[in-house]
Amino acid sequence: MPVKTSKAYLTVLGVPDKPQISGFSSPVMEGDLMQLTCKTSGSKPAADIRWFKNDKEIKDVKYLKEEDANRKTFTVSSTLDFRVDRSDDGVAVICRVDHESLNATPQVAMQVLEIHYTPSVKIIPSTPFPQEGQPLILTCESKGKPLPEPVLWTKDGGELPDPDRMVVSGRELNILFLNKTDNGTYRCEATNTIGQSSAEYVLIVHDPNALAGQTGPDHALIGGIVAVVVFVTLCSIFLLGRYLARHKGTYLTNEAKGAEDAPDADTAIINAEGSQVNAEEKKEYFI
């Protein structure tokens, strides 16, 4: 029997190795430029690398493909460059490798960022309208990494004037009861190993009686409005009365008594007026 042969072409897929992220050194200072590199080898055909930050893909990256020593598989690397800020602290940066040999289950590598930054400071008062005789608590809210040291409170550039009434407890300044001498600018300063920041609060102590007058009804304004309404009403009644008085009586046209023999309208009016001298009723004539 003659020998029969057939050929088959076999393509062996190279499964990429688990990716590795390099280039991160902890901690990173806010404002520094960070460069992360993700690399995987042994893939055939060359694998695809994608970057994600907070589950959002980053498109602007560099991609490099090289043949391995066996000239059958590839080593693929991708570089991500970005400038960090305090919002990046604790963020997970993910490098994902996609390849047809992975059966739709990509391989990933993750790097959690640690960013150090100077404190941010804000002063929060316990009440928006401090009143004389009442207590007041000023809270110094400070955030930073590393965590800021205990805050420093000052007033008008110097130490707190009355330590018996002004008690510092942690990040809070407690003024037991306010008086007008407490008016001024209070400053809270927070410091960590990166730097320091501060915030200011201008205290104005209000008179409780004055505030009560401001919050109550304005009787002068209400009285003025009522007076205007009454004045307008009286004026309207007066004008209406004059209008009715002026238009009261008998109205005669140019055909009234005395007009038949008059050569013109003026003579008719004169004749009519003359004939009505003793009349008790006022007459108006419209020509």
Side-chain angles (χ1 to χ4, degrees):
M1 298 294 291
V3 177
K4 295 182 179 181
T5 63
S6 63
K7 295 180 180 179
Y9 292 93
L10 178 64
T11 300
V12 179
L13 297 177
V15 181
D17 296 335
K18 183 175 177 61
Q20 301 291 330
I21 296 178
S22 60
F24 179 76
S25 58
S26 179
V28 180
M29 303 302 169
E30 182 179 26
D32 287 353
L33 182 64
M34 179 179 292
Q35 185 177 84
L36 300 179
T37 301
C38 181
K39 180 181 289 187
T40 180
S41 57
S43 61
K44 181 184 179 182
D48 183 33
I49 295 180
R50 301 166 67 185
W51 288 94
F52 294 85
K53 180 181 174 184
N54 274 346
D55 297 328
K56 182 178 180 181
E57 185 173 0
I58 304 173
K59 298 289 188 180
D60 188 15
V61 296
K62 299 175 184 177
Y63 182 82
L64 179 63
K65 178 179 70 173
E66 297 176 332
E67 283 189 343
D68 294 333
N70 58 18
R71 303 183 65 83
K72 294 181 180 180
T73 57
F74 294 90
T75 294
V76 182
S77 63
S78 179
T79 303
L80 170 65
D81 296 322
F82 64 100
R83 195 169 299 278
V84 299
D85 58 32
R86 62 187 60 197
S87 64
D88 293 321
D89 184 50
V91 169
V93 177
I94 296 175
C95 164
R96 192 176 86 181
V97 176
D98 294 311
H99 194 264
E100 55 188 295
S101 67
L102 298 177
N103 296 324
T105 305
Q107 294 183 349
V108 297
M110 183 175 65
Q111 178 64 63
V112 178
L113 305 181
E114 182 183 0
I115 313 299
H116 283 193
Y117 53 93
T118 57
S120 60
V121 184
K122 180 171 63 175
I123 297 177
I124 303 174
S126 58
T127 175
F129 298 102
Q131 299 183 34
E132 191 172 8
Q134 293 185 354
L136 175 67
I137 299 177
L138 299 179
T139 302
C140 182
E141 187 179 272
S142 60
K143 298 178 181 179
K145 194 165 186 179
L147 189 67
E149 301 171 0
V151 298
L152 175 65
W153 285 98
T154 58
K155 180 192 176 188
D156 297 330
E159 297 182 354
L160 298 176
D162 192 347
D164 293 333
R165 284 190 310 110
M166 301 180 179
V167 181
V168 176
S169 176
R171 302 182 184 279
E172 294 182 349
L173 171 60
N174 296 274
I175 304 178
L176 302 182
F177 52 91
L178 294 169
N179 57 51
K180 292 298 181 63
T181 62
D182 296 327
N183 289 340
T185 301
Y186 291 80
R187 179 186 179 93
C188 167
E189 183 178 289
T191 306
N192 63 6
T193 56
I194 310 301
Q196 71 175 31
S197 296
S198 62
E200 293 184 347
Y201 173 78
V202 178
L203 173 60
I204 300 176
V205 179
H206 298 275
D207 186 347
N209 298 325
L211 285 177
Q214 293 175 3
T215 56
D218 193 339
H219 298 288
L221 179 60
I222 296 175
I225 295 174
V226 172
V228 171
V229 172
V230 172
F231 177 76
V232 171
T233 304
L234 293 177
C235 290
S236 301
I237 294 173
F238 176 75
L239 293 176
L240 180 60
R242 290 200 59 185
Y243 176 81
L244 294 177
R246 288 175 59 86
H247 291 77
K248 181 181 179 181
T250 302
Y251 296 89
L252 302 176
T253 65
N254 60 338
E255 296 178 353
K257 182 178 179 181
E260 294 83 352
D261 301 330
D264 52 32
D266 293 339
T267 305
I269 293 174
I270 294 172
N271 292 340
E273 289 178 350
S275 62
Q276 302 292 330
V277 173
N278 297 322
E280 297 179 357
E281 191 175 52
K282 181 179 179 181
K283 294 182 174 52
E284 297 183 3
Y285 300 88
F286 297 88
I287 306 303

